[in-house]
Amino acid sequence: MKSFHTVFIALVFFCLTAQPSLGQSSGAIPEASPEQAGMSAERLSNLDTMLENAIKNDQVPGAVALVARNGKVVYHKAFGMADHETGREFNKHDIFRIASQTKAITSTAVMMLWEEGRFQLDDPISDYIPEFQNPTLLESYDPSDTSYTTSPAGNEITIRHLLTHTSGIGYGMIDSDNRFREIYQKAGITDLFTTEPVLIGDSVEKLAALPLHHPPGEQFTYSEGLDVLGYFIEVVSGISFDQFLKERIFEPLGMNDTWFYLPDEKSDRLAPVQTRVDGNWINYPVTFYDPEYPVQGAKTFFSGGAGVSSTAMDYAIFLQMYLNGGQYNGTRILSRTTVQTIMANHAGDLYGGDNKHYGLAFGVVTQDGRDSGGIGGLGTFDWGGYFNTQYFADPENNIIGVLMKQTQTSEEGTGDTTAWKFRQIIGASVDD
């Protein structure tokens, strides 16, 4: 059955890339009416109702939503308040911290270098970052002084392990295991967003000396592996990671609002992170990370796992490139065959259940997932971000959905249900 899934997904991508040019103008994806793209305007209007109700019920302060089909934007709207403290409303061109949505961009950059024959996916990362030689496992841990012992991991971390979150590396302050949170903090690992003068290479080299959750390749553990690969890109390409993304992905695709650190002229479009406290939406304070990292501070930490800020339109362009089999607006970023490789199952049975497998950049919907309903067609690929952003792209139906919010959960919670409703409503709006 898995081989059928792989063949079907490959055929879907082949059909998309065999179509005539979609005729994009430079930059933004062109607009069309829902009917022109085979969607129901009446059914898409359920998104209005859903998001307005979510704001009314204080699930979210606001959002920007974008839907595209067949290479045309059919829905792009802003709702609610971007900043309750100043009374600023959301604009559909606002910029958001996309956090883990950065991971797919980093993975794409890795695969661009792979296409150039720079490495193989099963090469040990220590061939390029020697500090990762002879990885170890956590054997014992003393919480009284955070001391620990280790044992040999038995095998090396590969580039494929890092792409698929099967390396055994953890995620520091957001790790599910308190032992690793304390070990990473003591070692001075920068997990997330910082305004301090930290370099990704320095943090990664510290990370290389720490024990793993498990032997590489044996479990799926969400990790800082994409930060490691951000530094790997610098080592292999010979240029800084931010420069590589700008020159090889963002500028060629016309993603002009996508940056690690925003230029001054764009900073006023950044939506604040909000949280709900005592019944009110307020701007999120500085905790173990600084939410002002995209506009203030040293601006030197280029996190491959979480550092980029972008707009709904720019991220839709990135996803459209994938739906087009690796090209957009006459610029080829990846080969169609490489896109097929990225979408294949590289984590085996280690990730999720029957509804999805994990490729080299995304979670990917399986036949059982499609049949379960509400999450897209076969081969739909997706992920989200720490600040409550979500996206999906469905190659079977040629649909993109991007939902941008900017919140962090509070102790009281908000019961936000917008992510699954967004996806379900869009799928039910196909009318062709």
Side-chain angles (χ1 to χ4, degrees), residues 107 110-111 114 119-126 128 155-169 214 216-221 223 225-226 228-229 232 338 340-348 350 358-362:
S107 298
V110 169
M111 295 307 290
W114 177 79
F119 58 88
Q120 293 182 294
L121 290 174
D122 294 316
D123 285 350
I125 190 63
S126 59
Y128 307 90
N155 55 303
E156 294 286 312
I157 298 170
T158 68
I159 294 164
R160 194 190 306 268
H161 292 148
L162 295 167
L163 286 166
T164 58
H165 300 282
T166 58
S167 67
I169 293 171
H214 51 76
E218 292 194 4
Q219 295 179 42
F220 182 97
T221 300
S223 79
L226 275 298
V228 176
L229 290 171
F232 165 78
T338 300
Q340 292 170 1
T341 298
I342 289 170
M343 298 302 167
N345 185 358
H346 291 269
L350 301 179
Y358 198 83
L360 295 178
F362 310 97

Side-chain angles (χ1 to χ4, degrees), residues 14-29:
F14 175 79
C15 291
L16 287 173
T17 54
Q19 294 174 349
S21 170
L22 297 176
Q24 297 100 333
S25 60
S26 61
I29 300 172

Side-chain angles (χ1 to χ4, degrees), residues 89-104:
E89 296 181 346
F90 266 116
N91 182 286
K92 66 182 183 179
H93 301 297
D94 278 347
I95 297 173
F96 296 79
R97 302 159 191 78
I98 63 171
S100 286
Q101 291 186 206
T102 306
K103 289 179 169 66

Side-chain angles (χ1 to χ4, degrees), residues 160-386:
R160 194 190 306 268
H161 292 148
L162 295 167
L163 286 166
T164 58
H165 300 282
T166 58
S167 67
I169 293 171
Y171 225 133
M173 288 298 294
I174 62 172
D175 203 294
S176 60
D177 189 323
N178 186 63
R179 299 173 301 169
F180 284 90
R181 289 199 296 270
E182 293 178 350
I183 289 169
Y184 278 41
Q185 187 173 14
K186 184 177 181 179
I189 305 301
T190 303
D191 304 299
L192 294 168
F193 325 105
T194 182
T195 54
E196 299 300 314
V198 180
L199 298 178
I200 189 66
D202 293 340
S203 187
V204 166
E205 288 175 1
K206 292 177 185 176
L207 180 63
L210 302 183
L212 305 177
H213 278 255
H214 51 76
E218 292 194 4
Q219 295 179 42
F220 182 97
T221 300
Y222 201 53
S223 79
E224 295 187 45
L226 275 298
D227 275 10
V228 176
L229 290 171
Y231 180 45
F232 165 78
I233 289 167
E234 293 190 342
V235 171
V236 173
S237 70
I239 61 176
S240 67
F241 181 39
D242 67 319
Q243 183 182 355
F244 185 94
L245 294 188
K246 181 180 179 182
E247 294 180 0
R248 299 287 301 273
I249 298 178
F250 301 154
E251 288 183 344
L253 292 180
M255 296 171 64
N256 299 321
D257 289 326
T258 304
W259 302 75
F260 278 106
Y261 298 101
L262 299 181
D264 290 343
E265 65 272 17
K266 295 180 184 287
S267 63
D268 62 346
R269 293 167 53 199
L270 180 70
V273 180
Q274 297 186 77
T275 189
R276 189 143 181 91
V277 177
D278 296 329
N280 298 304
W281 288 103
I282 65 169
N283 290 348
Y284 199 74
V286 175
T287 56
F288 65 91
Y289 63 87
D290 190 336
E292 293 305 307
Y293 74 92
V295 295
Q296 295 181 9
K299 303 182 180 180
T300 60
F301 185 67
F302 306 124
S303 169
V308 167
S309 295
S310 188
T311 62
M313 178 61 78
D314 269 16
Y315 210 83
I317 290 171
F318 175 71
L319 297 174
Q320 189 66 57
M321 177 270 291
Y322 267 95
L323 287 187
N324 292 353
Q327 67 85 28
Y328 178 81
N329 195 33
T331 298
R332 181 160 294 283
I333 301 297
L334 296 169
S335 166
R336 171 180 59 80
T337 59
T338 300
V339 172
Q340 292 170 1
T341 298
I342 289 170
M343 298 302 167
N345 185 358
H346 291 269
D349 297 327
L350 301 179
Y351 173 73
D354 294 331
N355 283 356
K356 291 182 186 178
H357 68 243
Y358 198 83
L360 295 178
F362 310 97
V364 183
V365 172
T366 63
Q367 180 74 47
D368 286 343
R370 180 181 75 168
D371 294 346
S372 71
I375 61 174
L378 180 61
T380 295
F381 50 100
D382 61 22
W383 211 246
Y386 186 72

